[in-house]
């Protein structure tokens, strides 16, 4: 251990100040070479809570140098030993779980009780899970010729660039760095402008255990820091979560270097409620699936809900009732279910989609839940959840990713019509079907065009289950053993002539 053991700091405001103006490069917390910084804002109040260091190409170069050196030694560490250290990070992150949850709530506006605390606990679980997989980095022997020993081995790629968004910053970082590290790579994380602090804190915690340079964290903006990371010749793989638009830019830049890319992009996930479904369960599933507690800022948000005409009205009434009963407020308050939208541009984007929906003929907006009354939150980015009824699948609110607390209910008459409409989307991340009929359920699981399909439930990504989309929702899988093997190693074939 290189620093005195960190103690959890349960005051997120003081922790945010402590983490100000720091990048993590080669095991050392330091400002950007340029000395530049930018403000990190609490979306629930509009107040600045910290400055983040504005990393740029020169910092990328330093981090790549450190990572390149560290990776050579790290790759020589036995795979199980690497796994043990990563699992140990999980244990330490678990000790800091409450602290991380509070910091996530402060910088992202996600409610502590319903979202941020859960994210922090999942982070520890992801490290624990991958930490156990060191010995699964196996190759094969191949029956090529009797006088030759032919085998494959899994080798690390080298230095991995990991670009993460702001909606679930620490969990999405964990899904990238834990498998990359266990596989023997070094990692450079680039956090989102809006939410750099909790990810930095998690790395500071891990820095107590892992060799310097094996992972590095840069804060900074996309073009100024993310783009030079992708472009750097020392980076051999990029793993990205974010928008389709930026994902394509990253993919193009990676193509110029011919390096592999994993992309976790957007979604417009359908939920089909059949006439025979358990309506109460389906309503609860819609609330969970739409991630109203995350202000709808989820790539898997159930933002297109197809409801059979025979149960439409009761489904809508019950859903309105449930969402109406949720409490909007200070993300750090235990009574709060729904917090604030991450940033002003995102807030404006969500509100513009609500206007578009309201102006669409035939559609009606049901605003649920009450705006917070606390005067401290008057400048906060709060948006009342909106349920659109009378929507059609060709309306803009049903086609484009809003990434806000807005869902549309689309009435259908016939199962075939619902499946066709569900698949009529540029996206294919997640989908659910709600029915008591096994035959319908099985048929839908085969026919829904999505990477993650569930029947009668709407769970989030889980460690050990492959997760990733088809169509514009992305390339490649995360969260599973396969993700580690396929995305963070390459296979080498070896032939030994024994003759
Ligand atoms: P974004 O895709 O622009 O940002 C994601 C990450 O990419 C951030 O770390 C950003 O700094 C980085 N980045 C931006 N430009 C880059 C470049 N040229 N090279 C390398 N890295 C770059 O997403 P943004 O602007 O925060 O949100 C826009 C929309 O994207 C949202 O409204 C939502 O629809 C979608 N989104 C989807 C997410 C998901 O989980 N799939 C997460 C966040 C946003
Ligand atoms: Mg952007």
């Amino acid at each position: 251990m290189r620093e005195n053991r960190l103690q959890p700091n349960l005051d997120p405001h003081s922790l945010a100040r402590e983490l100000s103006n720091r990048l993590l490069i080669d095991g050392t917390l330091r400002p950007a070479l340029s000395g530049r910084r930018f403000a990190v804002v609490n979306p629930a109040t509009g107040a600045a809570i910290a400055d983040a260091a504005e990393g740029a190409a020169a910092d990328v170069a330093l981090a790549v140098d450190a990572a390149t050196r560290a990776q050579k030694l790290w790759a020589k560490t036995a795979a199980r030993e690497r796994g043990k250290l990563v699992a140990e990070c999980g244990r330490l992150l678990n000790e800091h779980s409450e602290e991380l949850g509070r910091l996530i709530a402060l910088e992202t506006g996600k409610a502590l009780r319903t979202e941020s605390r859960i994210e922090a606990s999942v982070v520890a679980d992801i490290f624990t899970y991958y930490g156990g997989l060191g010995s699964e980095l196996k190759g094969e022997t191949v029956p090529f010729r009797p006088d030759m020993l032919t085998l494959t081995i899994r080798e690390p790629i080298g230095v991995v660039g990991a670009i993460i968004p702001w909606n679930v910053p620490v969990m999405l970082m964990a899904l990238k760095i834990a498998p990359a590290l266990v596989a023997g790579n070094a990692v450079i994380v680039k956090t989102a402008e809006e939410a750099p602090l909790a990810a930095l804190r998690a790395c500071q915690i891990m820095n107590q255990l892992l060799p310097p340079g094996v992972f590095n964290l840069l804060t900074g903006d996309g073009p100024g820091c993310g783009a030079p990371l992708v472009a750097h010749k020392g980076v051999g793989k990029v793993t990205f979560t974010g928008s389709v638009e930026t994902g394509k830019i990253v993919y193009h830049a990676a193509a110029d270097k011919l390096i592999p890319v994993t992309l976790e992009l957007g979604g417009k996930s359908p939920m089909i409620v059949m006439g025979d479904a358990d309506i109460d369960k389906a309503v609860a599933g819609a609330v969970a699936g739409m991630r109203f507690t995350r202000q709808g800022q989820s790539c898997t948000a159930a933002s297109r809900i197809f409801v059979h005409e025979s149960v439409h009205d009761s489904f809508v009434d019950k859903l309105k009732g449930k969402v109406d009963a949720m409490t909007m407020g200070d993300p750090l308050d235990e009574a709060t279910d729904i917090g604030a939208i991450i940033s002003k541009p995102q807030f404006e984007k969500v509100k513009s989609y609500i206007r578009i929906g309201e102006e669409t003929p035939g559609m009606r907006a049901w605003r649920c839940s009450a705006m917070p009354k606390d005067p401290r939150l008057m400048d906060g980015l709060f948006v009342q959840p909106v349920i659109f009824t009378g929507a059609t699948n060709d309306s803009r609110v049903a086609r484009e990713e809003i990434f806000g607390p807005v869902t549309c209910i689309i009435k259908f008459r016939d199962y075939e019509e619902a499946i066709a409409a569900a698949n009529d989307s540029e996206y294919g991340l997640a989908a659910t079907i709600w029915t008591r009929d096994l035959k319908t359920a099985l048929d839908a699981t085969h026919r829904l065009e999505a990477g993650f399909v569930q029947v009668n439930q709407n769970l989030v990504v889980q460690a050990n289950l492959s997760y990733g989309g088809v169509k514009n929702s992305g390339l490649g899988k995360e969260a599973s053993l396969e993700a580690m093997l396929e995305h963070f190693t390459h296979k080498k074939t070896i032939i030994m002539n024994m003759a």
Side-chain angles (χ1 to χ4, degrees):
M1 290 198 194
R2 289 183 311 283
E3 357 186 336
N4 290 333
R5 178 75 183 264
L6 289 174
Q7 293 304 315
N9 178 350
L10 296 182
D11 172 6
H13 290 277
S14 88
L15 186 55
R17 284 192 297 271
E18 246 176 63
L19 292 165
S20 271
N21 199 22
R22 291 286 177 270
L23 311 170
L24 179 68
I25 298 179
D26 206 11
T28 303
L29 289 167
R30 38 165 299 168
L33 286 168
S34 69
R36 293 172 62 136
R37 29 169 108 190
F38 59 97
V40 184
V41 173
N42 173 358
T45 62
I49 52 168
D51 280 335
E54 192 179 315
D59 305 287
V60 168
L62 268 190
V64 174
D65 276 353
T68 305
R69 265 181 278 114
Q71 194 268 333
K72 295 196 166 51
L73 280 175
W74 182 240
K76 285 185 187 146
T77 308
R80 275 197 72 184
E81 194 52 37
R82 293 195 301 258
K84 268 189 203 159
L85 280 167
V86 167
E88 191 60 13
C89 288
R91 201 187 53 72
L92 219 49
L93 288 163
N94 196 40
E95 283 177 13
H96 285 262
S97 189
E98 179 65 18
E99 163 200 89
L100 285 169
R102 290 182 186 203
L103 191 55
I104 294 168
L106 181 66
E107 69 175 334
T108 66
K110 295 192 300 178
L112 179 61
R113 192 191 87 252
T114 55
E115 285 287 334
S116 298
R117 191 176 276 141
I118 298 166
E119 177 179 350
S121 69
V122 171
V123 167
D125 185 50
I126 291 166
F127 278 86
T128 309
Y129 164 71
Y130 275 113
L133 296 182
S135 25
E136 295 304 318
L137 290 153
K138 296 171 189 162
E140 301 136 338
T141 55
V142 184
F144 175 46
R145 279 175 37 180
D147 54 348
M148 294 183 189
L149 175 61
T150 305
L151 57 137
T152 63
I153 58 169
R154 292 274 179 187
E155 289 190 336
I157 292 171
V159 177
V160 171
I163 298 176
I164 56 172
W166 42 261
N167 56 333
V168 212
V170 195
M171 185 195 86
L172 294 172
M173 178 177 78
L175 285 177
K176 298 181 186 320
I177 64 179
L181 289 174
V182 173
N185 302 281
V187 185
I188 300 166
V189 175
K190 209 295 279 175
T191 55
E193 296 84 319
E194 299 82 355
L197 300 175
L200 178 60
R201 180 62 169 176
C203 285
Q204 188 190 18
I205 293 164
M206 292 163 50
N207 193 39
Q208 298 175 101
L209 285 166
L210 296 177
V214 158
F215 68 94
N216 306 271
L217 180 139
L218 303 175
T219 58
D221 67 21
C225 188
L229 177 62
V230 177
H232 196 292
K233 62 181 185 333
V235 172
K237 152 96 199 186
V238 174
T239 168
F240 170 86
T241 300
S243 63
V244 176
E245 193 191 2
T246 305
K248 286 181 184 173
I249 294 173
V250 166
Y251 200 18
H252 277 288
D256 278 341
K257 292 165 51 187
L258 275 180
I259 61 164
V261 176
T262 309
L263 300 174
E264 200 66 71
L265 308 175
K268 198 74 199 178
S269 297
M271 161 167 181
I272 300 176
V273 182
M274 299 298 292
D276 69 345
D278 178 327
I279 294 303
D280 290 326
K281 278 194 186 153
V283 167
V287 174
M290 187 46 225
R291 315 269 185 269
F292 281 115
T293 54
R294 199 187 295 161
Q295 298 76 255
Q297 300 168 138
S298 164
C299 43
T300 52
S303 48
R304 293 185 297 147
I305 309 184
F306 298 90
V307 185
H308 190 261
E309 59 180 6
S310 63
V311 291
H312 175 273
D313 294 355
S314 79
F315 180 90
V316 169
D317 278 349
K318 287 182 176 186
L319 182 60
K320 281 191 299 197
K322 276 246 183 224
V323 182
D324 227 14
M326 296 171 91
T327 302
M328 289 172 77
D330 180 352
L332 286 163
D333 185 336
E334 297 287 343
T336 299
D337 298 305
I338 300 176
I341 301 285
I342 186 76
S343 65
K344 194 79 181 168
Q346 196 62 30
F347 177 77
E348 295 301 341
K349 175 182 168 185
V350 172
K351 293 215 306 193
S352 80
Y353 273 107
I354 295 173
R355 277 195 299 277
I356 290 167
E358 283 171 338
E359 287 161 8
T360 306
M363 278 177 58
R364 163 132 197 222
W366 302 88
R367 282 172 200 270
C368 302
S369 185
M371 288 290 276
K373 306 259 169 333
D374 186 340
R376 292 175 308 127
L377 306 179
M378 286 306 118
D379 292 329
L381 303 173
F382 293 90
V383 173
Q384 282 176 285
V386 172
I387 298 167
F388 278 113
T389 52
T392 56
N393 195 50
D394 54 14
S395 56
R396 277 190 68 192
V397 285
R399 300 203 78 78
E400 297 171 21
E401 186 177 50
I402 300 173
F403 228 66
V406 182
T407 193
C408 15
I409 313 281
I410 302 169
K411 198 192 276 189
F412 73 90
R413 181 166 294 170
D414 160 67
Y415 170 70
E416 290 297 328
E417 169 199 333
I419 292 282
N423 287 339
D424 178 17
S425 167
E426 66 180 273
Y427 295 108
L429 192 51
T432 63
I433 173 123
W434 301 73
T435 176
R436 289 189 169 94
D437 183 61
L438 278 179
K439 193 161 173 283
T440 306
L442 185 63
D443 185 71
T445 59
H446 288 290
R447 290 172 63 192
L448 284 167
E449 294 166 3
F452 189 38
V453 180
Q454 299 178 71
V455 176
N456 294 335
Q457 66 175 20
N458 224 329
L459 297 181
V460 296
V461 52
Q462 312 278 318
N464 199 30
L465 302 183
S466 269
Y467 175 78
V470 296
K471 301 199 262 186
N472 274 2
S473 291
L475 286 177
K477 300 289 174 188
E478 294 198 294
S480 59
L481 171 62
E482 169 204 7
M484 176 174 81
L485 299 177
E486 299 300 320
H487 297 301
F488 294 112
T489 72
H490 55 73
K491 211 181 226 190
K492 178 183 275 178
T493 297
I494 300 172
I495 309 178
M496 295 173 66
N497 189 332
M498 309 294 200

